Amino acid sequence: MSKVVYDGWMVRYGRRKIGRSYIHMRYFVLETRLLAYYKRKPQDNVVPIKTLPIDGNCRVEDRGLKTHHGHMVYVLSVYNKKDKYNRVTMAAFNIQEALIWKEKIESIIDQHQGSQGTNGNKYNSFEYKSDMDNGRNASSSDHESQLSAAEDEDDSHPNLLRRTTIGRGPPESVFDWTKEIDSDLANQNGSNQVFSRKYWRLLQCQNGLRIFEELPDGDLLPKSCSRAMKAVGVVEASCEDIFELVMSMDATRFEWDCSFQYGSLVEEVDGHTAILYHRLQLDWFPTLVWPRDLCYVRYWRRNDDGSYVVLFRSREHENCGPLPGYVRAHIESGGFNISPLKPLNGRPRTQVQHLMQIDLKGWGVGYVSSFQQHCLLQMLNSVAGLREYFSQTDERTAAPRIPVMVNMTSASVSSKRNQKLQDTPHHRTRSLDQIRAANRNASMMDEYSDEEEDFQGADQEVMPPSPEREMKRTELEEEPLDQIDFSIFSGNLRRDDHDNSRNCWRISDGNNFRVRSKNFCYDKSKIPAGKPLMDLVAADWFKDTKRMDHVARRPGCAAQVASEKGLFSLIVNVQVPGSTHYSMVFYFVMKELTSGSLLQRFVDGDDEFRNSRMKLIPSVPKGSWIVRQSVGSTPCLLGKAVDCNYIRGPKYLEIDVDIGSSTVANGVLGLVIGVITSLVVDMAFLVQGNTPDELPEQLIGAVRASHIELSAAIVPKLEPDTTE
């Protein structure tokens, strides 16, 4: 039996014959002679979905980065050059995992090549060195590998190096400023002084960065175009982490790039080249100066030394014409050079260079040098933003994301003039809302499928499951066949769905809370929670001179009524200590527990399991800053933070949450209780999912308590507790 070299969950994707793509998480196993993947982690003698024998003829093709529904994945294709149509395409949500798999598979192939070499058989090294130096572009993206064709034609180079991840190479219009220019190349480009990268002068040190200005041989730049400037800094993070952050255009970018307002994908050319749309947030007299936007080509590659290069240059695109109210700026050259340094005190270090040469255009301020330099320094300061982001962040919580682009083909010149005359902030806001709406709609286009890959077409395309589609699927699965009659339930705290109501409760929208997605185990991503599993039917607000336990025994309460109707209830009793004890009680009801579900295992499990899984997600939409900061919105395992007592009745489970058992919780409670009448508090309860089969997480229920009055609490009449 062959030895398992490496295994783990990866993305398996493909395209159906009707053209739609799909994605599945599959468990891949690499053995010394075989690559296989399974629907679940294999046990005993489970038959894999598909296998690929590994020998010296196998190749690993790096297809670069793919984007679908805003998610980015890094793609590898493993095939045998004797049978190129029999291939396994796999992807990862982070480039580190993709590189590990690539290295492991290559090492197995090398072993087979070495063993066959001793027997007199000759194998080629399965990837070629970059052909960029001899004027040809190597391909490693969407199409069938051109390398394999080259290998079949020429078997005389057994010792060629593996190819770096360069894709087709940078487009001809994109200048690679990270490479040294020899005299021959300089002579060839002698007529274009923009690309003379010979001398740099230290301009200033700012925010811990060295800011350099280029000193070209000639001064033939347009007056509105600044000289090239670059910022150089050191970031305590790995090259891969920084690269993934630089490539993303999601909300995370607001945390490190102060010049970013909005960005989206216009066209994916291949795994290494894409056309992007980008809006700049420049704070130089914004009331007087029109905002700038960009349409540019972005190319990236990974070098043999582990460094990453990202290059920019402006380009026109039919689906990204000029927008009314914006001035289209022009990037002459720019990008990032991300290079590894020696670790310090066990922590990775990376040098980040960010270069930008941009023409901000405009008929007036474009010629003002202070405007150019201010805006350029604001963009270059993103290197300092990266440094601070990683110094204050333990780990990434989501995979990188870039929105999908809506068609922005501009109208005729005359219509654009009319639009400019009519343009207002409202119109500009509306256009942004339309783009975002198009992005949301695009993510709902394809249906999730769990069909087996054997019935799919050979053409492979990556399609991560969109969080919105995952949420929609969950909601459809959970839609009850018949509704519960809520009129039979009542509590002393009234329900009121109006926004400005006081001393009441309402059901909080589940989408206000983010929970672990189906892929959380692999990419730490979260999704809006959506529809809860149970219905919140009533709430009670009690007070007494002692702590109130097991309130579900109270005659006539919602739990007793539900039990009489054959319904199952989960009661959360939030106990607030003090000279007067208070209890806020929420009653969640459902038809019946689903056998084998995570909720059923929680209800019927032991207290240790319950304490490790019962989770609260709090939020204070309305309240003072200090209260909102003290409460926060971080999910909390209740059983780990405070004492929880579980009472299992015939048709219910009550959870008594003793807030007073925690010193920290008591301190926060001291702030909250004094201003409770001015607060609006959201709470979501759920059972934490830890394994793929327990994900995505689903809320038990969510509630919003608004401006609660202490004087409205009543003393309950409780029956003697017979459970003790």
Side-chain angles (χ1 to χ4, degrees), residues 270-303:
D270 60 32
H272 290 261
T273 309
I275 311 295
L276 303 178
Y277 174 71
H278 190 149
R279 288 182 184 172
L280 297 174
Q281 180 71 44
L282 305 176
D283 57 3
W284 197 83
F285 296 104
T287 56
L288 301 176
V289 179
W290 278 35
R292 264 59 177 174
D293 64 358
L294 299 162
C295 180
Y296 59 92
V297 58
R298 181 188 69 188
Y299 164 82
W300 72 272
R301 72 167 183 270
R302 183 179 186 273
N303 296 324

Side-chain angles (χ1 to χ4, degrees), residues 201-204 209-213 229-231 377:
R201 176 176 68 91
L202 181 63
L203 186 65
Q204 59 178 285
L209 307 177
R210 291 183 297 156
I211 309 294
F212 292 87
E213 182 182 49
M229 295 177 65
K230 69 177 180 180
L377 288 175

Side-chain angles (χ1 to χ4, degrees), residues 322-337:
L323 280 180
Y326 287 85
V327 175
R328 180 60 54 88
H330 181 83
I331 299 177
E332 292 288 342
S333 181
F336 290 86
N337 189 8

Side-chain angles (χ1 to χ4, degrees), residues 55 76 276:
D55 59 25
L76 302 175
L276 303 178

Side-chain angles (χ1 to χ4, degrees), residues 471-524:
M471 180 183 65
K472 181 179 179 182
R473 175 173 171 261
T474 300
E475 291 182 358
L476 291 175
E477 289 176 350
E478 296 165 4
E479 192 68 29
L481 297 177
D482 51 347
Q483 298 294 329
I484 297 173
D485 182 9
F486 295 151
S487 63
I488 63 176
F489 303 103
S490 63
N492 74 296
L493 189 65
R494 66 187 178 91
R495 174 176 177 173
D496 193 326
D497 292 334
H498 294 90
D499 290 337
N500 297 324
S501 300
R502 302 181 64 85
N503 196 38
C504 61
W505 66 272
R506 59 183 288 193
I507 297 175
S508 185
D509 185 358
N511 291 327
N512 293 334
F513 305 92
R514 298 186 66 80
V515 297
R516 296 180 174 184
S517 72
K518 184 70 175 176
N519 299 325
F520 180 84
C521 296
Y522 324 111
D523 59 16
K524 304 300 182 184

